[in-house]
Amino acid sequence: MKSMGTLEDILDNIGCGICVSSLEDGSILFTNEKFRRFFRTNIPQKDMEQMLEGTGIKSGTGEIYVAAEKKWFDVHRTEIVWVDGKNVALSTVYDITENKKYQQRIEKQANNDFLTGLYNRMRCEADMEQYIKQSKKEDGEGALLYMDLDDFKHINDGLGHQYGDVLLKAISHSLQRIVGIESNCYRMGGDEFIIVVTHTKYWMLGKILEEILEIFSKPWFLKGADYYCTASMGIVRFPADGDNVQELIKKADMALFEAKKSGKNQYAFYGDGLESGSFKRLDLEKNMRNATMNACNEFEVYYQPIVDVSRPGNPCTGAEALIRWNCENLGFISPAEFIPLAEYLGLINPIGDYVLKKACSSCKYWNDTGHPEYKVNVNLSVVQLLRNDVAERIQTILQETQMNPKNLTLEVTESLAINDMTRMKQVLGKIKELGVRVALDDFGTGYSSLNHIREMPIDVIKIDKCFIDDLGKEPFEEAFVRLVCELASTIGMHVCVEGVENKQQFDILEKMQIQMIQGFYFDKPMPEAEFEKKYL
Ligand code: C2E
Ligand code: MG
Ligand code: MG
């Protein structure tokens, strides 16, 4: 008895919990004081034994979490012969709750995005590895959604980063409330998110997509006003589209680009149709980067004359500069195809500067060789307009080329005005201070609102080709062009009609007292030398 007492004393003073249970009937034969203190709540003997056994640790080491105690334990289990000669299981138990909590805190910091509280890129990669494995093992299919906010830059740059942050948080919050993806939303950085629909939730994909787009159908209230911010998504399926995270993200990004190119605020699946297109895109991207690095010498600026039809003989008044890319590896690529990618990749800035410089020096030459009135129009992408130093850059180019600012017209679209009229007005105001004119391009397409004409400081409205295509066929188009012309002349703006291809269209427009026309009916865009031969 005494020796048992001594043993008990020793065991009670040991730093870990000890539990001895019979291997025959599972009854607990001995626990030390530490063990009893660990499990204050009196877990019945049977349950305790089950719990220890339930760790799956027959012999060896493992970890258990005891929900009733909210504690983590390290358990070591060995089979030994007890003092009475019976075969027993000896379990030693260490409380590792503090370590565990610390580890979780560190993991949270390493796995979560500081701003939104969503998981971050690192966690996404780790999770995806598991999800891919599981879906393969269980022969299921999951989806990865790569989401990018459309024109988030407008809001961020326009309202300030603190409001951009508010929006990112609000969006994250809404995403996490969608059933099925609550714990699978990740912020990858900036305005990019990944949402994973695991194979067990794949059947909900349609509804999830609907709910995501629904989030963006309503305006966000920021800085006292409503702002719209939509999102585009590229979707890949796993493991079908790839069995590693990097490959899946790359393909989802390609699909995302397709969604952007098709007009944003939508999703596109990475699929068969896309594959050849995306390889082409990768090629395009590589070649465009090279071309831009090589002083843009694969790019050429063409000029399409703009004629004044209000004067006899319809004299040329100048031209619109239109970029052409004759890529050494891929052949001729039209701007409609590469400008959106250039914008997406940010390469539009150096390319745009190149066009502006070329166009200004050409126009300066025309002005100096007998046509002081010739003007040149240059397209400015919204990405360029968003640069803080846009006006300074234009000014520098005007100075370098010695061109008369009043002969330069910059063509912009309404896309910035939709989200941030204040900023649009401010940017255009600065540009106009240089003495440059501004034209509203592609008017009538997309979001056009007559109100924009009134609010934006513009000099010229360019009516889009799509209205001219149906002139003489559809009464609406004719009425629209007439309306815009009357409105413009009332407020002292000029109208230029684009895409006039035939005599019938021209005749209708002539009766409306249009002033400027640009279209194949007069001439196509042509290389500089050809334009100068014909029009100088
Ligand atoms: P845009 O600024 O609206 O330019 C007019 C487009 O319509 C040009 O196409 C021109 O060739 C075409 N066009 C003009 N008249 C007619 C016609 O009678 N019939 C037909 N079928 N087409 C006509 P292009 O050169 O292919 O350029 C397409 C778009 O690419 C431009 O539309 C512009 O948005 C963009 N783009 C072109 N060059 C630049 C550039 O240097 N910078 C930027 N940011 N965008 C550019
Ligand atoms: Mg244009
Ligand atoms: Mg246009």
Side-chain angles (χ1 to χ4, degrees), residues 384-398:
Q384 290 171 276
L385 275 181
L386 282 168
R387 293 181 68 138
N388 286 329
D389 59 349
V390 60
E392 286 83 350
R393 287 186 155 257
I394 297 166
Q395 187 175 26
T396 308
I397 292 176
L398 283 169

Side-chain angles (χ1 to χ4, degrees), residues 427-443:
V427 174
L428 293 186
K430 266 202 196 162
I431 290 177
K432 290 198 54 154
E433 274 172 27
L434 303 172
V436 172
R437 304 198 316 158
V438 175
L440 184 57
D441 203 357
D442 304 335
F443 186 74

Side-chain angles (χ1 to χ4, degrees), residues 90-272:
L90 170 70
S91 304
T92 48
V93 181
Y94 297 85
D95 183 348
I96 53 162
T97 310
E98 279 313 308
N99 286 353
K100 205 72 191 172
K101 277 190 187 155
Y102 177 71
Q103 191 185 338
Q104 280 176 342
R105 232 178 9 248
I106 296 288
E107 268 172 23
K108 190 166 157 53
Q109 276 166 8
N111 281 317
N112 286 71
D113 170 53
F114 180 70
L115 177 69
T116 61
L118 294 184
Y119 290 136
N120 60 14
R121 174 185 293 269
M122 225 171 78
R123 175 64 182 257
C124 176
E125 286 172 4
D127 282 0
M128 273 307 292
E129 221 164 273
Q130 292 308 312
Y131 294 145
I132 294 167
K133 247 189 232 155
Q134 283 164 12
S135 61
K136 271 184 177 168
K137 197 168 112 201
E138 286 159 36
D139 208 13
E141 185 167 49
L144 179 147
L145 286 49
Y146 199 72
M147 184 174 100
D148 181 280
L149 306 182
D150 300 325
D151 311 312
F152 174 68
K153 245 178 115 27
H154 295 184
I155 289 178
N156 211 25
D157 293 356
L159 295 183
H161 291 272
Q162 65 273 39
Y163 288 94
D165 286 355
V166 169
L167 180 64
L168 289 173
K169 277 192 233 174
I171 290 171
S172 305
H173 186 71
S174 303
L175 282 174
Q176 277 181 303
R177 283 167 48 176
I178 296 176
V179 178
I181 56 171
E182 300 93 332
S183 48
N184 289 108
C185 302
Y186 309 83
R187 176 163 176 241
M188 302 304 276
D191 60 345
E192 288 171 17
F193 297 83
I194 276 183
I195 294 149
V196 178
V197 180
T198 60
H199 70 285
T200 52
K201 310 273 171 60
Y202 190 75
W203 59 277
M204 296 165 72
L205 181 62
K207 178 125 180 49
I208 289 170
L209 287 172
E210 230 171 75
E211 286 185 41
I212 294 175
L213 290 179
E214 172 76 21
I215 293 179
F216 296 97
S217 66
K218 292 183 243 46
W220 308 89
F221 191 71
L222 300 167
K223 212 175 182 176
D226 279 342
Y227 284 84
Y228 280 91
C229 176
T230 56
S232 302
M233 282 176 279
I235 307 171
V236 282
R237 303 177 179 90
F238 57 85
D241 291 329
D243 64 358
N244 70 74
V245 193
Q246 303 314 332
E247 186 186 355
L248 286 170
I249 292 183
K250 200 173 83 194
K251 288 180 173 173
D253 179 47
M254 290 171 180
L256 169 65
F257 175 66
E258 292 302 317
K260 293 260 185 198
K261 211 173 68 180
S262 319
K264 305 179 177 173
N265 194 19
Q266 57 189 293
Y267 53 81
F269 279 90
Y270 179 85
D272 306 322

Side-chain angles (χ1 to χ4, degrees), residues 320 379 411 441 462 498:
E320 176 171 5
N379 294 285
E411 299 194 0
D441 203 357
K462 295 191 81 173
E498 288 189 279

